[in-house]
């Protein structure tokens, strides 16, 4: 497998802090661009979910931890995105929209802050020295 494809799509192995930070910066930059492009941006954001998860799993592996937490964060983000699409449909009913949008705003803040804390932890966490159970 080509190195970049393996890096982004194969969760086996480990990556260090520097590789994670460079990869995360690229994904964050692409995410900002996607945020301003209505439909295509959402499709690209959805397509980025697995590569983001893979680099998080590899970073957790470097810290000698299971990738389960990365999967949990990806599922939470995907569910929040799907719920956001539902809220957009509910805009046709103003009363229901306001109630659901309020809950979604709170959920978005919680998941957003959790994701930010997770990314910062992965960026600054010390990897295990030498071999570990992940390579």
């Amino acid at each position: 497998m080509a190195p970049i494809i393996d890096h982004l799509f194969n969760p086996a192995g480990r990556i260090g802090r520097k590789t994670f930070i460079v990869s995360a910066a690229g994904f964050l930059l692409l995410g900002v661009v996607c945020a301003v492009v209505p439909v295509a941006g959402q499709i690209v954001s959805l397509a980025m979910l697995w590569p983001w998860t893979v680099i998080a799993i590899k970073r957790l592996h470097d810290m000698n931890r299971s990738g389960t937490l990365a999967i949990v964060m990806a599922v939470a983000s995907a569910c929040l995105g799907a719920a956001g699409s539902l809220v957009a449909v509910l805009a046709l009913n103003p009363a229901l929209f306001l109630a659901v949008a309020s809950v979604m705003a709170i959920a978005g803040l919680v998941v957003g802050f959790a994701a930010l804390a997770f990314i910062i932890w992965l960026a600054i966490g010390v990897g295990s020295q030498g071999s570990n159970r992940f390579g």
Side-chain angles (χ1 to χ4, degrees):
M1 200 180 281
I4 190 74
I5 300 298
D6 189 54
H7 174 69
L8 295 175
F9 294 98
N10 182 3
R14 302 165 54 172
I15 59 172
R17 285 185 279 199
K18 182 179 177 182
T19 303
F20 175 77
I21 290 169
V22 169
S23 300
F27 280 125
L28 290 172
L29 183 62
L30 186 56
V32 168
V33 172
C34 288
V36 297
V37 180
V39 176
Q42 289 177 328
I43 293 168
V44 171
S45 292
L46 184 60
M48 286 186 341
L49 189 59
W50 179 246
W52 244 121
T53 304
V54 166
I55 66 164
I57 289 170
K58 287 183 176 191
R59 184 67 188 113
L60 286 166
H61 286 176
D62 189 53
M63 297 164 72
N64 202 25
R65 298 179 184 271
S66 164
T68 305
L69 188 55
I71 300 291
V72 169
M73 291 302 298
V75 168
S77 296
C79 288
L80 189 64
S85 296
L86 177 64
V87 169
V89 171
L90 292 176
L92 300 173
N93 182 339
L96 189 56
F97 172 75
L98 288 176
V100 174
S102 299
V103 171
M104 283 299 302
I106 294 168
L109 285 173
V110 170
V111 171
F113 282 125
L116 180 62
F118 181 60
I119 291 168
I120 291 170
W121 177 58
L122 291 177
I124 65 173
V126 177
S128 59
Q129 298 296 320
S131 295
N132 67 22
R133 62 186 173 145
F134 299 103

